Structures are given as C-alpha cells and as structure tokens.
Amino acid sequence: MTASMILVAVGLLALAVGGELLVRGAVGLARRMGVSTMFTGIVIVGAATSMPEMVASVQAVRAGTPEIAWGNIVGSNIANSLLILGGAALIMPIVLEGRGRRDSVVALLATIGLSAIAYLGYADQWIGAGLLAALVIYIIWRYNHPPAQGEDDTTTPIPNLFASIILFVIGVLALILGGRWLVNGAIEISTELGVSETVIGLTVVAVGTSLPELAASVAAAIRGHAGIALGNVLGSNIYNLLLIGGVTMAISGRSIPPELLFPAWPVCVAAAILLVLVCWGMKKFGRFPALLLLLAFAANTALAFR
C-alpha cells in the first residue's frame, strides 16, 4: 500500500510539472503557427493530454478487459466536463465570450452518436474505423475554419520555435509518465476494495488519466489562456470518443459493456449538453458554477460505487 501511495504522489508531481510545460510550449507553438490558442487547446493540447487515456485503454483491450477501456472513455469525459472544467474555473474563473461554441456541439454529437451505438449494442471493427475517420474530418474542418471572434486570447510576443517544441515534448512525456504512474498506483489500491473492472475504469482509471487535462487546464487558466483551458476540455472529450473509442472498437470488435448504459452514459450526455449551454449562454464561468460541477462529479462518483 505504501509503495502504491508513493507511486500516486510521484505521478501527481509529474502531472503538475508536465501541465505547466505543456501549456508554455503549446502557447508558443500557437503563436509560431499563427493559429488561435483555442485551436491549439482543442487539437494539440487536447490530443497530447488524451495520450494517457489512449495508453490505458489500449493496454486494457490487449489484456482482454475492454470494460476498463470503455469505462475509462466514458468516465474521462464525465471527469473532463465536471472535474476538470470545475477545478480550473474554481482556481481561476474562465472568460468565455463565444469560445468553444462550435466544438461543444461537435462533442455533443459525438457523445450522442457513441451512446446510441452503446444502447443498440453494435460492435464492429468498421465502426471503430468510422469513428477515426470522423476525427480526421473534424480536425481538417477545424483547421480550415478561422477562429470565431474572441477565440484567440493572447497577444504575447512570438517565442522561439525550438524552445516551444522542447517544452511541449517534455510536458507531454511528463504527463504520460505521470498519468501511467498514478493509474498503476491507483489500480493497485482500488483492487484491494474488490470493485468491478468497469467501475475501476469508470472512476479510478478515468480520473487518473484525466489528471493531465486538469493540470494543463489549471495551468492555462492561471496564465490567463482561457482558450487553451476550455479547448483542452472540449478537445479531450472529442478525442476520447472518436480516437480512443475508435481504436478500442477497432481492436476489440466488441460491444460497449451494458454496465455503462445506466447511469454512466446518461450522465455523459448530460455533461455534454451542459458544456453546450455553458459555451453558448455564458460570458464567464465563475467559481460558484464551478463548485456545482465539482459537487455533481462527487455525487456521480459516489453513485458509481453504490
């Protein structure tokens, strides 16, 4: 137990350091590439911070436990929408002003689509390929459409390209290693409680692999980069559903576990709807609604262990 707790602590430290370096590097890349920080948060940071989920899910499928993989996907999206956004905004309120409207709709459509596949019990490797193709189409579409007014939130000078790349790469490596260490330690602790693989994936693994998003979003919010903080949440949700869900389905070819049909998928859809309402209806996401999100996440986690 002591060794597991040390592993968790080291993982948390790596996540904190990696989140700060990743944000610094990502902002630099955004300025050098001439793209908005919102696009950077969605495509670059969202993809990078989703790597722990990818690693955990692929390892789970190869180990013959896709229940952990799917629980990780659904649980990570719930954690992103409630824990990550709530935690970042609690520390530093996020100025929205029109950011993320289109991407929140894409995330909602992807959530509804995959939940429909879950409820219908479909399972085919071609479905996984279709999800991956949808992600490619989304990235191309997002890049070819200029940012909406207010999406770019930085006027800092253009930094050195090499330094930005180094910071970004080190940040990604720290996040991936930190996520792996934390998840391994958490799983060892959780298995002693005798809970099911689906519940472990939905809670412990999902929260553990979502901590890079928390680290990156909090670091971005503190540094005043609201586009990255929000874009990281939306981008990670989209990547979890289309990329990691697509890979999981393509490798396993098995249907989504029925244990997730209720209440996990309805909560996931409700969280996606909430993000749409936030992006379209609020100019600033402050500490009080952030606290409500955190309370909702705590209640959902308690429900999973019922």
Side-chain angles (χ1 to χ4, degrees):
M1 179 69 74
T2 302
S4 300
M5 294 179 66
I6 293 176
L7 197 59
V8 168
V10 173
L12 286 172
L13 178 61
L15 289 174
V17 174
E20 175 65 18
L21 296 179
L22 178 67
V23 169
R24 288 178 178 267
V27 171
L29 289 175
R31 301 300 295 163
R32 294 292 305 186
M33 295 168 60
V35 298
S36 70
T37 51
M38 187 69 191
F39 176 85
T40 304
I42 290 173
V43 176
I44 300 177
V45 180
T49 55
S50 291
M51 288 303 101
E53 283 93 336
M54 171 67 81
V55 172
S57 293
V58 170
Q59 289 179 344
V61 172
R62 294 183 63 182
T65 56
E67 295 83 4
I68 290 181
W70 285 113
N72 180 32
I73 292 169
V74 179
S76 292
N77 274 30
I78 294 174
N80 287 341
S81 303
L82 303 180
L83 174 64
I84 310 306
L85 183 59
L90 187 65
I91 294 175
M92 183 67 66
I94 298 175
V95 178
L96 299 171
E97 296 182 347
R99 295 185 178 95
R101 289 182 174 180
R102 297 172 297 181
D103 305 290
S104 65
V105 173
V106 173
L108 174 59
L109 293 176
T111 304
I112 293 175
L114 203 55
S115 64
I117 292 174
Y119 276 91
L120 293 174
Y122 289 155
D124 194 284
Q125 293 177 332
W126 284 106
I127 295 178
L131 294 174
L132 295 174
L135 177 63
V136 173
I137 293 173
Y138 164 71
I139 293 175
I140 295 174
W141 168 79
R142 192 60 174 82
Y143 182 80
N144 289 329
H145 283 71
Q149 183 178 7
E151 278 194 350
D152 200 0
D153 57 5
T154 181
T155 57
T156 56
I158 297 177
N160 180 272
L161 176 61
F162 180 75
S164 298
I165 293 176
I166 292 298
L167 288 175
F168 183 82
V169 171
I170 294 176
V172 170
L173 292 177
L175 288 178
I176 293 176
L177 290 175
R180 181 180 301 176
W181 293 333
L182 183 136
V183 168
N184 289 341
I187 290 178
E188 291 177 5
I189 295 174
S190 297
T191 50
E192 297 182 5
L193 301 177
V195 297
S196 69
E197 294 174 343
T198 301
V199 172
I200 290 178
L202 187 62
T203 55
V204 178
V205 178
V207 172
T209 56
S210 291
L211 286 178
E213 283 89 343
L214 178 60
S217 290
V218 168
I222 291 175
R223 294 175 62 82
H225 300 298
I228 287 184
L230 177 63
N232 179 36
V233 170
L234 295 173
S236 182
N237 282 355
I238 294 172
Y239 274 93
N240 286 344
L241 295 166
L242 299 182
L243 175 62
I244 303 176
V247 170
T248 300
M249 181 70 74
I251 295 177
S252 69
R254 293 168 58 178
S255 60
I256 299 174
E259 296 93 329
L260 294 174
L261 297 183
F262 186 84
W265 271 115
V267 172
C268 191
V269 173
I273 294 174
L274 178 63
L275 283 181
V276 172
L277 296 177
V278 168
C279 291
W280 284 83
M282 299 182 68
K283 293 184 178 181
K284 183 178 181 180
F285 196 77
R287 290 189 172 90
F288 179 69
L291 181 60
L292 294 180
L293 290 187
L294 295 176
L295 291 175
F297 176 77
N300 179 71
T301 302
L303 186 61
F305 283 98
R306 70 189 191 282

